[in-house]
């Protein structure tokens, strides 16, 4: 893998200007706001020039021992293809450019992971052939809603690993741009869903609602099958939900939920308050959290 992935600079003068005050979901101002938010916060880092920090032997052993790298690389590979394929069918110039950037950043995540595993000597299984989706909208929605699930828990796991010292500070700083991008992606996606639904003919909206429900059903089914065979090696498709055991962190489920909720609010709270935030996963976690007690810990 090399760092030749580049995304040309985009002038942000297209479309209806976004003015202060309330905006109507589905309006041109709404579209311009969520597209420009993604485009204007683009970080032009290049994977090839990331200075991967030298790790102490125990830290490198912990990192290389995580059972996630094959599925992480392959997930980003599929996501990049699916998002880029959907962008090809978009006629609106600003929306097309924003979705193209989303796909570019997904592919760049794959480059980052490839360069990291090479830097630390992590062996990956051979990658499968990535198939161009027959239904680009379906694949784009699967990618977007999947990221809404995974990013929520990844925010908490990343913060937990940071607090516990599982990842040294230098590695945390190196991965921080990727975590920021995941927040931008899910913010963009949920606003696209709201805008897209409101701009389709009335007769299509029931079918779209069924499609959204089918995507969620597929994702639930996918995560019920925890052990997946990726390249011949068992992989945990629920690492972002169950990963504390692999991080070796002594933390209860309620405590992890609290961290995930706080980090989700912190990371998405920096963006324009008029934009929608992903709601389903945080709501379900808050609901479950009401029925859980935080275990008392013995004094240190």
């Amino acid at each position: 893998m090399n760092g030749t992935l580049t995304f040309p600079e985009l002038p942000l003068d297209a479309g209806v200007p976004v003015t202060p005050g309330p905006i109507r979901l589905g309006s041109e101002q709404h579209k311009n706001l969520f597209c420009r938010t993604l485009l204007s916060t683009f970080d032009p880092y290049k994977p090839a020039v990331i200075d991967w920090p030298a790790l102490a032997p125990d830290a490198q052993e912990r990192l290389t021992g995580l059972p996630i790298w094959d599925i992480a690389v392959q997930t980003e590979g599929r996501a990049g293809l699916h998002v880029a394929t959907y962008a090809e069918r978009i006629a609106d110039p600003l929306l097309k450019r924003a979705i193209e950037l989303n796909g570019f950043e997904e592919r760049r995540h794959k480059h980052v992971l490839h360069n990291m595993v090479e830097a630390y000597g992590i062996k990956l299984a051979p990658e499968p052939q990535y198939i161009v989706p027959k239904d680009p909208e379906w694949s784009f929605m699967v990618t977007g809603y999947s990221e809404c699930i995974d990013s929520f828990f990844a925010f908490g796991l990343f913060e937990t690993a940071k607090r516990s010292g599982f990842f040294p500070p230098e590695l945390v700083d190196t991965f921080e741009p990727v975590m920021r991008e995941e927040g931008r992606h899910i913010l963009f996606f949920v606003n696209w869903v709201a805008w897209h639904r409101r701009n389709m003919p009335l007769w299509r909206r029931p079918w779209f609602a069924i499609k959204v429900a089918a995507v969620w059903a597929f994702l639930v089914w996918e995560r019920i099958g925890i052990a997946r065979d990726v390249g011949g090696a068992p992989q945990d498709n629920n690492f972002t939900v169950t990963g504390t055991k692999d991080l070796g962190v002594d933390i209860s489920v309620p405590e992890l939920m609290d961290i995930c909720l706080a980090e989700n609010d912190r990371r998405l709270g920096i963006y324009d308050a008029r934009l929608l935030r992903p709601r389903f996963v945080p709501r379900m976690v808050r609901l479950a959290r009401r029925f859980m007690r935080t275990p008392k810990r013995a004094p240190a």
Side-chain angles (χ1 to χ4, degrees), residues 54-65 165-168:
L55 302 179
D58 59 336
Q60 182 155 339
E61 184 177 352
R62 291 196 301 270
L63 180 72
T64 58
F166 184 92
F167 290 149

Side-chain angles (χ1 to χ4, degrees), residues 127-139:
E127 290 184 59
Q129 183 179 2
Y130 299 114
I131 307 299
V132 175
K134 294 181 180 179
D135 184 345
E137 183 181 77
W138 165 270
S139 297

Side-chain angles (χ1 to χ4, degrees), residues 60-258:
Q60 182 155 339
E61 184 177 352
R62 291 196 301 270
L63 180 72
T64 58
L66 289 175
I68 63 171
W69 303 120
D70 289 317
I71 200 168
V73 168
Q74 294 178 31
T75 297
E76 298 294 356
R78 285 192 299 271
L81 175 62
H82 292 174
V83 176
T85 302
Y86 184 67
E88 293 173 0
R89 66 186 294 172
I90 302 301
D92 183 278
L94 185 63
L95 182 62
K96 183 182 184 71
R97 198 61 168 158
I99 297 177
E100 285 176 339
L101 176 60
N102 190 341
F104 166 83
E105 291 180 349
E106 298 289 2
R107 296 194 302 274
R108 188 170 61 174
H109 291 176
K110 183 171 178 282
H111 279 236
V112 169
L113 289 170
H114 260 293
N115 288 352
M116 188 207 72
V117 299
E118 289 179 5
Y120 296 123
I122 301 171
K123 301 298 182 183
L124 295 180
E127 290 184 59
Q129 183 179 2
Y130 299 114
I131 307 299
V132 175
K134 294 181 180 179
D135 184 345
E137 183 181 77
W138 165 270
S139 297
F140 180 60
M141 291 166 63
V142 167
T143 298
Y145 281 120
S146 182
E147 285 195 327
C148 287
I149 299 170
D150 293 338
S151 294
F152 175 84
F153 292 103
F155 294 158
L157 286 174
F158 188 72
E159 178 64 18
T160 300
K162 179 180 175 181
R163 295 180 188 181
S164 69
F166 184 92
F167 290 149
E170 298 83 4
L171 195 58
V172 169
D173 293 341
T174 303
F175 264 110
E176 178 59 29
V178 175
M179 299 302 295
R180 284 198 299 267
E181 285 177 351
E182 295 296 351
R184 291 165 57 251
H185 291 175
I186 61 177
L187 186 80
F188 174 82
F189 176 74
V190 296
N191 281 275
W192 169 83
V193 170
W195 178 86
H196 185 52
R197 179 188 293 116
R198 287 166 174 79
N199 281 275
M200 63 178 56
L202 288 175
W203 64 267
R204 277 200 62 205
R205 295 184 190 184
W207 168 244
F208 186 73
I210 293 171
K211 201 170 189 177
V212 170
V215 168
W216 277 108
F218 169 77
L219 292 174
V220 170
W221 172 85
E222 184 183 54
R223 280 155 175 75
I224 288 174
I226 294 177
R228 311 211 84 195
D229 186 42
V230 179
Q235 292 288 319
D236 188 349
N237 204 49
N238 287 298
F239 178 81
T240 52
V241 181
T242 64
T244 52
K245 66 180 185 298
D246 293 301
L247 294 178
V249 178
D250 181 19
I251 185 173
S252 67
V253 171
E255 289 171 320
L256 178 61
M257 285 180 169
D258 290 342

